[in-house]
Amino acid sequence: MAEARAPNPLVEQFKKGGVPKDVRLVAAQGTLPLGPLDLLELLVLLTADRDKEIQDAAHGTLKGQPADMLLPLFKDRGTPAAILAWGVKYRSERQLREAALQNTTLEDAAIEDLAPALPRELAELVVINQVRLLRRTSLLVAIEANPNLDNDQKRRLRELREEFIDERPERAPTPPPPPPPPPESEPEPIEEPEPITDEAEAMEHYLTTDERGEPAKLSAVQKIVKMNTAEKMVTALKGTREERTILIRDRNRLVSTSVLGSPKLTESEVEAFASMKNISDQVLREIGSNREWTRNYNVVAALVRNPRTPLATSIGMVSRLNPRDIKGLAMDRNVSEALRKQAQRFIRSQQERKN
């Protein structure tokens, strides 16, 4: 089984809610330069936004995505089910709907909603999938109600019902569904700290003393200080390495999270971020929760040694260090006492096993 892909930190931030409307609208218009799958996941999420303007913009952007770009994603079992459900419902191209209907990741409920009206050729993909029909008998009922079925399809469904469904022992009646949950309250908006608009203050915030002697970084800060949040996010996603190195330190979590969501981000950059002392603990927590990045030993070692890393993140990584680094950690006065003690306990337990 293919390993589930690591979630994009920026998309996860949108899922948590609280993103300002102007930023959501920029995202719904498709102007955030994310990778294809991350972009689709974000757009589908925004089709359910509370604001109709954002819903409509997201639907419009999705409908404008080229079919030849979508087709391999609709065939991929790693594609989130919500993307497939949107595609099979709203895209009219037969090859896209076929790919989605044949993808086992697509949820049965999404097919059931469409089953009564599918054209005969697409209905065939539902009829032949006996696993789905037996797993969800309401889907069988829905496809049986399709007026586009031919006689052969009706016969096969009837035989499936007679052989596997009607002969089942009678079950206790299904209890009524629970009442719908009360409507969710509007998520708390993400607090946007006051942007830095003064160039001298920006230099001090974004750059270390040594970096202030690097022309490329000075130039990047001069450009960034004039940007609004949405412009910084776009730059974080598609800008240069220097710009990402600066924006990862931005006070606004949407901006710093955008850096972590950039399709251009390299493993060596993540290693560098993990050791930075002038970035937020939220960024370090995001890095530590990413399975793909924490396969890299240098990232793990940097996070553990970084005093800015939240203790809940770093303490669980101590046992992954090599013996030399654990010994160093046990004597490192720059990390928390809890980490040093964890390292000391690990060393003692290793010695006890040898004796």
Side-chain angles (χ1 to χ4, degrees):
M1 180 185 292
E3 186 177 342
R5 69 187 180 98
N8 183 294
L10 180 57
V11 176
E12 292 302 297
Q13 189 65 67
F14 274 80
K15 287 179 181 177
K16 291 172 188 173
V19 177
K21 178 179 175 178
D22 60 335
V23 176
R24 301 199 319 273
L25 188 56
V26 166
Q29 291 165 345
T31 55
L32 294 184
L34 294 163
L37 201 52
D38 293 327
L39 177 62
L40 288 181
E41 186 174 18
L42 179 54
L43 289 170
V44 169
L45 175 70
L46 291 172
T47 61
D49 196 274
R50 294 172 181 272
D51 190 296
K52 190 170 187 309
E53 182 185 7
I54 292 171
Q55 289 180 24
D56 292 344
H59 275 294
T61 303
L62 280 165
K63 288 175 180 175
Q65 299 300 305
D68 58 354
M69 185 274 283
L70 294 176
L71 186 58
L73 298 179
F74 281 20
K75 290 180 177 179
D76 187 346
R77 292 185 183 181
T79 297
I83 293 176
L84 300 173
W86 185 92
V88 79
K89 183 174 182 179
Y90 291 105
R91 292 298 294 241
S92 59
E93 299 91 336
R94 178 173 165 180
Q95 73 270 29
L96 293 182
R97 301 186 86 194
E98 283 181 350
L101 284 167
Q102 292 180 89
N103 191 325
T104 54
T105 302
L106 179 63
E107 293 177 349
D108 297 342
I111 302 175
E112 183 177 332
D113 291 341
L114 302 171
L118 289 173
R120 182 178 58 80
E121 296 80 5
L122 293 177
E124 177 68 13
L125 299 175
V126 181
V127 172
I128 63 175
N129 195 330
Q130 294 190 354
V131 172
R132 282 196 189 273
L133 295 173
L134 292 174
R135 181 171 64 209
R136 187 179 179 94
T137 54
S138 55
L139 174 57
L140 173 60
V141 173
I143 195 65
E144 285 174 325
N146 188 318
N148 301 317
L149 298 183
D150 61 26
N151 289 333
D152 180 60
Q153 291 169 327
K154 292 175 183 176
R155 174 187 58 78
R156 282 181 284 151
L157 290 174
R158 186 170 59 250
E159 289 174 354
L160 179 69
R161 176 176 286 282
E162 289 171 352
E163 185 170 354
F164 294 103
I165 306 295
D166 292 346
E167 295 301 317
R168 287 180 179 175
E170 190 172 330
R171 296 180 179 179
T174 306
E184 293 180 10
S185 56
E186 185 74 30
E188 285 291 320
I190 292 174
E191 265 192 47
E192 291 198 50
E194 283 296 316
I196 300 172
T197 55
D198 178 75
E199 193 173 299
E201 186 186 352
M203 294 294 178
E204 187 175 344
H205 173 77
Y206 286 120
L207 302 179
T208 63
T209 304
D210 291 341
E211 288 173 326
R212 289 170 207 160
E214 299 178 30
K217 287 185 177 167
L218 288 172
S219 175
V221 171
Q222 288 168 344
K223 184 170 75 169
I224 286 167
V225 77
K226 298 172 185 173
M227 296 178 180
N228 61 29
T229 299
E231 289 167 337
K232 286 180 182 178
M233 289 173 67
V234 171
T235 302
L237 289 165
K238 73 173 185 180
T240 64
R241 186 184 183 110
E242 285 78 16
E243 288 166 337
R244 289 193 293 277
T245 301
I246 292 163
L247 289 171
I248 196 68
R249 310 169 197 182
D250 198 89
R251 293 172 178 172
N252 189 316
R253 80 172 78 164
L254 285 171
V255 176
S256 56
T257 304
S258 296
V259 174
L260 296 180
S262 170
K264 298 174 72 174
L265 188 66
T266 65
E267 199 167 79
S268 62
E269 287 177 87
V270 176
E271 288 181 27
F273 297 160
S275 63
M276 283 183 176
K277 311 290 193 299
N278 57 346
I279 61 177
S280 74
D281 55 358
Q282 175 64 28
V283 168
L284 296 169
R285 187 181 294 109
E286 292 279 0
I287 294 172
S289 66
N290 186 295
R291 293 188 302 275
E292 187 176 328
W293 295 335
T294 52
R295 288 196 193 108
N296 181 325
Y297 180 82
N298 292 334
V299 171
V300 171
L303 286 172
V304 173
R305 289 193 296 262
N306 191 336
R308 296 275 304 170
T309 304
L311 185 59
T313 297
S314 56
I315 202 161
M317 295 179 170
V318 172
S319 62
R320 296 176 58 183
L321 299 180
N322 63 40
R324 185 183 63 183
D325 286 343
I326 290 180
K327 286 179 183 176
L329 184 67
M331 298 181 291
D332 189 346
R333 293 291 171 183
N334 293 317
V335 300
S336 72
E337 186 180 355
L339 268 182
R340 288 199 305 276
K341 287 185 175 178
Q342 178 76 353
Q344 291 162 5
R345 280 195 294 269
F346 191 83
I347 292 169
R348 282 197 301 271
S349 68
Q350 292 293 96
Q351 290 171 342
E352 289 167 3
R353 285 178 194 170
K354 289 178 183 177
N355 296 335

